[in-house]
Amino acid sequence: MQEVARKYALLGWPVAHSVSPPMQEAAFKAVGIPATYVLRAVRPEQLAETVTALRDEGFAGWNITVPHKQQMATLLDEIDPEAQVAGSINTVVNRDGRLIGHSTDGPGMEAAVREGFGVELAGQAVVFLGAGGAARAVSAHFALHGVRRLWVFNRTVDRARALVGTLHEAAPDIPVAAHSLADTGVLAAALAEADLLIQATSLGLHAGDPTPIPPELLRPGLAVVDMIYRPTQLLRAAARLGCPTADGRGMLLHQGAESFRIWTGRPAPIEVMRRALDDALEKRRTETV
Ligand code: NDP
């Protein structure tokens, strides 16, 4: 008898731009699991009723993107401890009606750093630019996985302080500090000591955006990751200086692979997913130029 297709979704607002459906569908196909992965555009005020509907309709799991990652944490039966620290859920698995939340953004970035630069997190000194949802999820994972030191620079310094308070509570032995993005003196000193810079602000999403920090503060040898999915001005400046660089595609790929593993209990077919992702991003690029 043919297996009934499992149902998965991505919830966001807006969500139409997402390249997750081709990436996840290619993965399910490659391992021979019949499954669908659909986009659901959900307004924030509809999130609770959408979760009830997905459970009733027998969805096996879903991903969550902006702006629902925090609110999703209030609608589940159980939350993985790391996602609890991050205060952010991007993956839900439905285990016999019980909804369990995870955050795969941090493991996704860890895998991208390993793949891009050949380094492990343990012992790294890391500067984060940004204190939004993505910075929260990734810095929580880093704090719980043995980095040596963390700095968070954000435009709104109170938001950086709140994040640093959470990180300190979760990992009291790691020095963590919050600063304003405008405090270029402190930023220069942090970058002189850091091994890794993670750009997690939304600056660079639009052509013509300024760089979030003056590029002259970068130094050769500093590894730079920009969470944005394509080469940004910051990455170009870093590459010119001789910094190893990576854009956000690696994180996007590996967070999706980790969701797949949580849903299926199987290792993700990474290269199949990478090809599907690259094709979808290329298609989107040629449609929008
Ligand atoms: P949020 O909206 O939660 O946070 C946005 C962050 O950007 C905040 O720190 C905000 O600072 C900062 N910011 C926005 N505008 C400016 C500006 N003009 N100057 C300085 N700082 C600014 O977004 P997310 O954290 O969810 O996403 C951040 C970025 O990461 C996005 O570009 C997103 O596309 C990318 N991303 C990539 C992923 C991947 O898989 N590669 C996964 C998730 C996100 P403030 O607090 O002061 O407002």
Side-chain angles (χ1 to χ4, degrees):
M1 204 172 62
Q2 209 182 351
E3 212 182 315
V4 178
R6 300 186 200 176
K7 294 187 282 188
Y8 297 92
L10 171 66
L11 318 185
W13 183 266
V15 77
H17 62 282
S18 172
V19 289
S20 288
M23 178 172 74
Q24 294 294 355
E25 281 173 352
F28 284 115
K29 192 168 168 212
V31 302
I33 296 177
T36 58
Y37 184 104
V38 296
L39 297 176
R40 285 266 179 121
V42 180
R43 292 177 189 276
E45 62 275 17
Q46 297 170 323
L47 190 63
E49 66 195 70
T50 302
V51 167
T52 305
L54 292 174
R55 195 194 311 240
D56 291 348
E57 291 167 33
F59 272 71
W62 50 91
N63 284 133
I64 302 95
T65 187
V66 178
H68 302 315
K69 288 185 183 181
Q70 275 177 285
Q71 198 191 339
M72 184 57 65
T74 65
L75 301 170
L76 304 175
D77 301 307
E78 190 182 324
I79 296 176
D80 163 82
E82 185 174 309
Q84 189 89 52
V85 173
S88 169
I89 305 288
N90 78 336
T91 304
V92 171
V93 59
N94 179 355
R95 297 215 188 283
D96 300 323
R98 191 170 168 75
L99 303 182
I100 305 164
H102 299 261
S103 175
T104 68
D105 284 333
M109 180 59 90
E110 178 181 4
V113 164
R114 184 182 298 122
E115 189 177 82
F117 309 130
V119 295
E120 298 299 327
L121 290 184
Q124 300 284 316
V126 188
V127 169
F128 280 87
L129 308 180
R136 284 193 75 84
V138 175
S139 62
H141 180 80
F142 279 26
L144 295 171
H145 288 80
V147 293
R148 172 162 55 86
R149 182 160 188 188
L150 289 172
W151 296 262
V152 179
F153 290 84
N154 197 44
R155 177 179 60 178
T156 309
V157 71
D158 281 350
R159 212 168 169 199
R161 288 197 187 111
L163 171 54
V164 158
T166 307
L167 297 176
H168 179 66
E169 228 171 88
D173 296 338
I174 298 173
V176 285
H179 300 282
S180 162
L181 207 46
D183 200 342
T184 48
V186 184
L187 181 57
L191 291 175
E193 191 188 330
D195 306 297
L196 181 60
L197 171 66
I198 306 276
Q199 193 313 96
T201 76
S202 33
L203 270 182
L205 269 180
H206 305 290
D209 275 357
T211 53
I213 58 169
E216 57 273 20
L217 295 183
L218 300 171
R219 59 166 184 82
L222 175 73
V224 181
V225 186
D226 198 318
M227 287 197 188
I228 292 170
Y229 312 144
R230 54 180 178 72
T232 57
Q233 267 205 64
L234 182 74
L235 286 183
R236 285 196 200 96
R240 278 198 297 273
L241 267 173
C243 302
T245 61
D247 67 29
R249 274 176 302 172
M251 175 182 172
L252 181 61
L253 167 68
H254 289 288
Q255 61 78 33
E258 181 62 9
S259 296
F260 181 91
R261 192 192 63 73
I262 290 169
W263 290 329
T264 63
R266 297 197 199 180
I270 295 282
E271 294 312 320
V272 168
M273 294 177 83
R274 193 193 310 274
R275 267 196 306 279
L277 179 63
D278 285 346
D279 288 351
L281 286 172
E282 177 59 19
K283 185 159 172 269
R284 198 176 73 182
R285 194 184 64 79
T286 50
E287 279 168 1
T288 51
V289 283

